[in-house]
């Protein structure tokens, strides 16, 4: 018998992941952020809300103040939107190197 390799990490649509991680108040706002070219996945500019993200991907997106950007690493995906403390567990912020 042939053994299969490890299953690939689950992927999720970018707009859904942003919603579940609470980077937008609605799915349409998250989709608008993605289609507006404000998000990068692994340094590649994204213009489609259905772009797939997986754990380990690096996202660059506008900070809540919209004047700066933040860089985060996706830790996991969620099936639905949850409380802010639980949403914070979906990613880690990568500090700026000075």
């Amino acid at each position: 018998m042939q053994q299969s390799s490890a299953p690939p990490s689950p992927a999720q649509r970018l707009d859904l992941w942003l919603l579940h991680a609470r980077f937008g108040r609605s799915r349409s706002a998250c989709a608008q952020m993605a289609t507006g070219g404000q998000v990068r996945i692994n340094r590649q500019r994204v213009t489609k809300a259905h772009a797939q993200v997986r754990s380990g991907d690096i996202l660059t997106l506008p900070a809540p103040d919209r004047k700066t950007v933040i860089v985060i690493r996706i830790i996991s995906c969620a099936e639905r939107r949850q409380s802010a403390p639980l949403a914070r567990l979906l990613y880690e912020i990568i500090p700026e190197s000075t």
Side-chain angles (χ1 to χ4, degrees):
M1 268 183 137
Q2 184 180 15
Q3 290 187 353
S4 62
S5 61
S9 61
Q12 188 170 38
R13 285 177 59 114
L14 175 61
D15 58 347
L16 273 178
W17 189 89
L18 291 170
L19 178 66
H20 296 166
R22 295 184 163 260
F23 283 99
R25 291 183 177 215
S26 66
R27 185 170 174 181
S28 61
C30 294
Q32 213 170 20
M33 187 187 312
T35 58
Q38 299 177 24
V39 180
R40 291 177 183 260
I41 301 173
N42 299 324
R43 296 187 176 184
Q44 298 295 316
R45 185 175 301 266
V46 177
T47 56
K48 298 184 188 227
H50 66 267
Q52 299 292 300
V53 295
R54 292 174 176 77
S55 57
D57 283 349
I58 306 294
L59 297 185
T60 306
L61 55 148
D65 64 7
R66 303 281 187 219
K67 294 179 182 174
T68 60
V69 297
I70 58 172
V71 180
I72 61 171
R73 177 180 293 112
I74 296 176
I75 296 174
S76 64
C77 296
E79 292 191 22
R80 63 185 182 91
R81 187 174 167 110
Q82 299 179 14
S83 67
L86 291 175
R88 180 60 182 87
L89 299 175
L90 298 177
Y91 62 93
E92 66 180 346
I93 296 174
I94 300 173
E96 292 184 41
S97 58
T98 54

